[in-house]
């Protein structure tokens, strides 16, 4: 069996890029980022959502800058966040008129920690290189990094046509799918080369190549990382809603991360109407944590339950402990260094309960259906006490809190 089965490949070596003080690439821990879905011109709504995403664990937050009103709002949003004591780097997402917005709104250009541009829609024909250059020159002037973010939904059509014609002239050695992947990768690399020629150093450039198909995504990033040492932003675009989006993103990003590819990730989930935007941050953190790349939260191990657990006490307790931990983490992280490494077990019955609980720092094995209402608690691998009565869940919550404080 190859080493791949046992451990992640060594991280692909990339040039580190500082984004407002957060390092992406160059061996730094893989960064979690997300994006707002508010109208950036609505300052109150955007500040609230950036704050929520950052508090949930997003280390960088991207906002849409699509018109004069949103560009004018950016420095005010930055200022409001600073007043709230939130030092989260903001990334401006520009399409079509980024060159104009950055030129007309220098305060916006200064307030942002990075500019994201898409080579597929920066301009057309003769204007394309000029407008791309104008954005890169602003980045040089304001000393900001740039993400060159290719997206297959807005692929550079001139490049695609050229590569299709080349393929035809050579007798179709590549499938249509391979030409599409090649276009995505070349679009990113050609644009990065152009940016460097204009004068933006490599330690100010991040690349991404987003598609919505899992296999295409894995192929594009593998090609990109084999041809360059630029820091890479991973994300499956249009991943979708609910479990489909989570599974597709985790499958594709998980495989790439296991291969040592990727310096920052964004999980793009379509929220339910009125749904919680911070869900994508939780999924990104959990992906990095379960793969062993980073530790954000204590692990709560819980069994799936079965016919031995017809009461809902066990599920409710597992959920409650998980929520308590998430809510308290901002304070605990400050007060109790290393609390992220804690493991709590909430098990449904005595079949696997005691064994799993002994492997945790603190664990409980609840009584399965029909068993005596007694729940042994294990602390540091040893049985410490047995909880009885009607408030087993509440008593265990208190014990977890006490354990963390001690
Ligand atoms: Fe079922 Fe008990 Fe196993 Fe949980 S630990 S899945 S309740 S047998």
């Amino acid at each position: 069996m190859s080493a791949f089965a046992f451990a992640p490949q060594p991280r692909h070596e990339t040039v580190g890029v500082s984004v407002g003080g957060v390092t992406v690439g160059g061996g730094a821990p893989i960064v979690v980022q997300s994006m707002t879905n508010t109208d950036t011109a609505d300052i109150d709504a955007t500040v609230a959502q950036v704050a929520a995403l950052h508090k949930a664990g997003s280390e960088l937050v991207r906002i849409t800058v699509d018109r004069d009103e949103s560009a004018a709002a950016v420095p005010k949003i930055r200022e409001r966040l600073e007043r709230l004591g939130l030092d989260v780097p903001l990334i401006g997402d520009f399409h079509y008129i980024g060159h104009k917005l950055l030129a007309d709104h220098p305060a916006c250009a200064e307030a942002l920690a990075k500019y994201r541009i898409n080579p597929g829609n920066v301009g057309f024909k003769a204007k394309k290189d000029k407008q791309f250059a104008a954005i890169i020159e602003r980045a040089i002037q304001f000393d900001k990094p740039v993400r060159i973010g290719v997206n297959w939904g807005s692929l550079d059509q001139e490049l695609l046509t050229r590569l299709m014609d080349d393929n035809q002239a050579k007798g179709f050695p590549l499938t249509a799918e391979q030409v599409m992947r090649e276009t995505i990768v070349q679009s990113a690399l050609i644009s990065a080369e152009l940016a460097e020629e204009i004068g933006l150093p490599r330690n100010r450039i991040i690349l991404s190549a987003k598609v919505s198909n899992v296999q295409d995504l894995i192929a594009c990033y593998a090609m990109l990382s084999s041809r360059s040492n630029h820091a890479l932003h991973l994300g499956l675009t249009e991943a979708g809603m609910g479990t489909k989006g989570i599974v597709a993103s985790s499958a594709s990003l998980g495989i790439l991360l296991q291969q040592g590819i990727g310096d920052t990730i964004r999980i793009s989930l379509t929220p339910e109407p009125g749904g919680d935007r911070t869900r994508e941050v939780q999924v990104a953190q959990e992906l990095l944590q379960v793969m062993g790349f980073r530790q954000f939260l204590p692990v709560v191990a819980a069994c799936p339950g079965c016919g031995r657990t017809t009461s809902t006490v066990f599920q409710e307790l597992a959920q409650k402990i998980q929520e308590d931990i998430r809510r308290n983490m901002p304070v605990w992280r400050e007060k109790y260094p290393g609390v992220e490494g804690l493991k709590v077990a909430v098990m449904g019955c005595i079949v696997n309960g005691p064994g799993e609980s002994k492997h945790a720092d603190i664990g409980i094995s609840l009584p399965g259906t029909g068993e005596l209402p007694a729940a042994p608690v294990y602390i540091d691998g040893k049985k410490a006490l047995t909880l009885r009565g009607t408030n087993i869940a509440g008593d265990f919550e208190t014990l977890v809190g006490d354990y963390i404080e001690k």
Side-chain angles (χ1 to χ4, degrees):
M1 210 180 278
S2 74
F4 178 78
F6 301 112
Q9 301 284 301
R11 296 271 304 279
H12 176 65
E13 279 181 31
T14 57
V15 177
V17 178
S18 173
V19 181
V22 175
T23 304
V24 174
I30 300 162
V31 171
V32 170
Q33 62 173 289
S34 57
M35 184 174 184
T36 56
N37 63 355
T38 53
D39 175 1
T40 303
D42 182 342
I43 295 172
D44 289 345
T46 304
V47 167
Q49 199 173 72
V50 170
L53 290 167
H54 185 53
K55 282 179 185 162
S58 187
E59 293 158 306
L60 306 170
V61 178
R62 183 157 45 115
I63 58 177
T64 300
V65 189
D66 58 345
R67 61 191 200 279
D68 286 312
E69 290 80 359
S70 52
V74 170
K76 294 174 188 156
I77 292 168
R78 170 83 274 146
E79 208 180 292
R80 288 265 298 274
L81 289 166
E82 276 166 18
R83 267 194 268 135
L84 291 170
L86 299 173
D87 185 21
V88 51
L90 295 177
I91 301 160
D93 198 63
F94 293 96
H95 297 274
Y96 311 109
I97 54 168
H99 60 290
K100 192 171 176 314
L101 293 173
L102 286 168
D104 293 348
H105 298 272
C108 165
E110 179 56 50
L112 292 168
K114 185 176 77 175
Y115 313 150
R116 182 271 165 128
I117 53 174
N118 178 340
N121 61 28
V122 79
F124 299 101
K125 296 196 183 292
K127 284 186 175 172
K128 189 173 114 189
D129 286 353
K130 209 169 138 224
Q131 292 176 181
F132 179 83
I135 296 174
I136 299 300
E137 279 158 11
R138 289 290 156 205
I140 295 167
Q141 178 189 351
F142 289 96
D143 200 17
K144 305 289 180 183
V146 165
R147 169 161 69 95
I148 296 171
V150 178
N151 190 305
W152 84 310
S154 47
L155 201 49
D156 182 334
Q157 294 303 307
E158 289 168 60
L159 181 61
L160 177 62
T161 307
R162 180 149 57 79
L163 293 186
M164 281 167 60
D165 290 347
D166 284 356
N167 196 40
Q168 186 178 12
K170 289 175 187 161
F172 296 104
L174 302 179
T175 63
E177 190 179 50
Q178 286 171 324
V179 174
M180 193 269 289
R181 291 175 179 175
E182 188 60 33
T183 309
I184 291 169
V185 172
Q186 283 203 27
S187 178
L189 293 175
I190 291 168
S191 302
E193 206 179 305
L194 186 58
E196 285 188 64
E197 275 169 19
I198 295 165
L200 191 67
R202 192 162 289 209
N203 67 0
R204 292 275 183 279
I205 301 173
I206 296 173
L207 300 184
S208 66
K210 295 193 183 180
V211 296
S212 60
N213 174 282
V214 169
Q215 297 298 343
D216 285 334
L217 190 92
I218 295 167
C220 286
Y221 275 98
M223 289 159 69
L224 202 50
S225 77
S226 71
R227 297 187 201 173
S228 93
N229 66 352
H230 286 96
L232 295 180
H233 163 128
L234 300 188
L236 183 76
T237 193
E238 287 98 42
M241 295 183 86
T243 51
K244 187 262 170 187
I246 294 172
V247 171
S249 290
S250 304
S252 50
L253 270 54
I255 287 169
L256 288 165
L257 293 167
Q258 186 75 1
Q259 292 176 356
I261 298 170
D263 300 298
T264 175
I265 66 170
R266 190 226 166 172
I267 304 281
S268 308
L269 297 179
T270 309
E272 306 291 335
D276 184 0
R277 189 72 170 174
T278 61
R279 182 103 175 101
E280 65 175 50
V281 178
Q282 285 179 18
V283 174
Q285 284 191 330
E286 277 166 20
L287 175 63
L288 293 177
Q289 177 147 336
V290 297
M291 292 193 72
F293 292 110
R294 292 192 62 184
Q295 191 95 42
F296 297 99
L297 288 172
V299 172
V300 179
C303 76
C306 66
R308 294 174 68 89
T309 51
T310 49
S311 120
T312 56
V313 173
F314 134 78
Q315 292 100 316
E316 282 163 8
L317 179 59
Q319 189 183 1
K320 193 113 199 324
I321 295 285
Q322 187 83 57
E323 286 168 3
D324 281 355
I325 287 174
R326 222 170 242 294
R327 193 182 55 253
N328 287 318
M329 267 317 273
V331 176
W332 286 352
R333 203 175 279 122
E334 299 281 306
K335 274 173 86 174
Y336 314 118
V339 68
E340 296 89 347
L342 191 80
K343 185 174 173 192
V344 183
V346 181
M347 298 295 289
C349 81
I350 55 163
V351 173
N352 292 322
E356 186 71 43
S357 299
K358 281 181 195 165
H359 287 117
D361 293 296
I362 176 164
I364 187 167
S365 175
L366 284 152
T369 307
E371 293 169 5
L372 291 173
V377 172
Y378 297 80
I379 296 178
D380 297 331
K382 293 194 183 83
K383 186 173 164 190
L385 70 156
T386 298
L387 295 176
R388 295 173 201 278
T390 53
N391 192 33
I392 289 177
D395 291 345
F396 183 64
E397 269 188 275
T398 308
L399 286 174
V400 172
D402 289 350
Y403 183 88
I404 288 169
E405 293 205 8
K406 277 178 198 149

